[in-house]
Amino acid sequence: MTTYDARWFASQAATWDDDPRRVERARRAADAIAAEVPVDPSWSVLDYGAGTGLLAFALADRVGDMLLLDFSDGMVEVARRRIADSGRAGMRAEVHDLTQAAVPEGQKFDLVISMMVMHHVDDVPLLLKQLAKATVDGGWIAVLDLEPEQGEYHDPGFTGHHGFKRGMLRRALSAAGFGHLTVRRVLEVDKEVDGVSRTFGVFLATARKDAQRSEGTDA
């Protein structure tokens, strides 16, 4: 992650949840994950790049304990307040950058989730390998991010990725130790670009950490 990103997200944290479109996207993303992955109330979950916890809270009633990690202390502060207000004893939030260090205490999870995070990460293969290390054998990963776009989704100074091709996802997830890959578009985000409304696709990629890999399907 870049320090520019960290400062920007920290400045947005206090009002991040005020946008009903973000809340609705998180709800739809959680439903999409639950439709693709056999989630269970006993499962432990890692939400990486969790922000204020919108996705985690949208999924929380369908899983067990949850660890929310984010590189922005401002976002984590808001997430901790939400957790305290909710009274959820099995949910906690920590400041952590997985591109710099592995998951704290070497914990492993049944499901790893991440939403709109990878395009901010310089070394995506490294991140996926760290997420694989945090996943139990037979566990799942569910990642949502941008489909390929022409650099219009962010401001001109953005230095991250302009979406991801499915072939790149397949290779990176396979190299990290995941198989059974499925990718499909689950969300669309409308943004105004130079005064014109544009629609950007968001995919959900799910895969399983399994010694016996199989070729996934794209839909």
Side-chain angles (χ1 to χ4, degrees):
M1 301 280 183
T2 66
T3 54
Y4 171 82
D5 281 335
R7 291 195 301 270
W8 186 85
F9 280 111
S11 73
Q12 301 295 308
T15 58
W16 191 259
D17 296 355
D18 294 346
D19 187 340
R21 295 171 299 179
R22 289 195 181 109
V23 177
E24 175 63 12
R25 285 198 293 268
R27 184 194 67 78
R28 291 177 59 194
D31 288 345
I33 291 171
E36 293 288 338
V37 177
V39 294
D40 187 275
S42 68
W43 278 14
S44 59
V45 178
L46 168 65
D47 184 354
Y48 183 66
T52 61
L54 285 176
L55 178 59
F57 273 92
L59 190 64
D61 289 339
R62 288 171 273 201
V63 296
D65 291 349
M66 305 187 82
L67 173 62
L68 285 60
L69 297 183
D70 199 279
F71 70 103
S72 167
D73 54 358
M75 288 287 185
V76 169
E77 181 180 348
V78 174
R80 285 173 172 167
R81 287 202 299 268
R82 292 192 67 195
I83 292 169
D85 291 344
S86 73
R88 290 185 180 274
M91 185 182 287
R92 60 191 177 93
E94 303 289 344
V95 178
H96 195 79
D97 184 347
L98 277 180
T99 65
Q100 301 298 317
V103 171
E105 302 170 8
Q107 300 173 81
K108 289 185 178 290
F109 301 85
D110 300 294
L111 172 63
V112 172
I113 60 176
S114 183
M115 182 172 178
M116 300 297 279
V117 175
M118 287 201 312
H119 65 266
H120 292 281
V121 175
D122 293 334
D123 193 338
V124 171
L126 171 61
L127 173 62
L128 292 177
K129 288 176 182 178
Q130 292 286 58
L131 293 176
K133 289 178 182 177
T135 308
V136 300
D137 290 341
W140 291 81
I141 187 171
V143 174
L144 296 104
D145 216 301
L146 288 169
E147 294 180 342
E149 51 96 12
Q150 301 302 311
E152 299 171 316
Y153 187 83
H154 293 90
D155 294 335
F158 180 69
T159 59
H161 305 278
H162 302 307
F164 298 93
K165 294 181 179 180
R166 297 185 181 189
M168 177 272 174
L169 285 171
R170 181 181 297 279
R171 291 189 296 272
L173 283 163
S174 178
F178 292 102
H180 308 277
L181 174 65
T182 299
V183 186
R184 66 183 181 93
R185 178 182 287 199
V186 295
L187 296 172
E188 292 182 342
V189 179
D190 294 324
K191 294 189 70 172
E192 190 172 289
V193 179
D194 296 330
V196 178
S197 180
R198 292 287 312 279
T199 298
F200 299 90
V202 176
F203 66 80
L204 168 64
T206 60
R208 192 175 186 187
K209 186 178 177 183
D210 194 326
Q212 299 297 322
R213 297 179 183 175
S214 66
E215 290 297 320
T217 59
D218 290 345

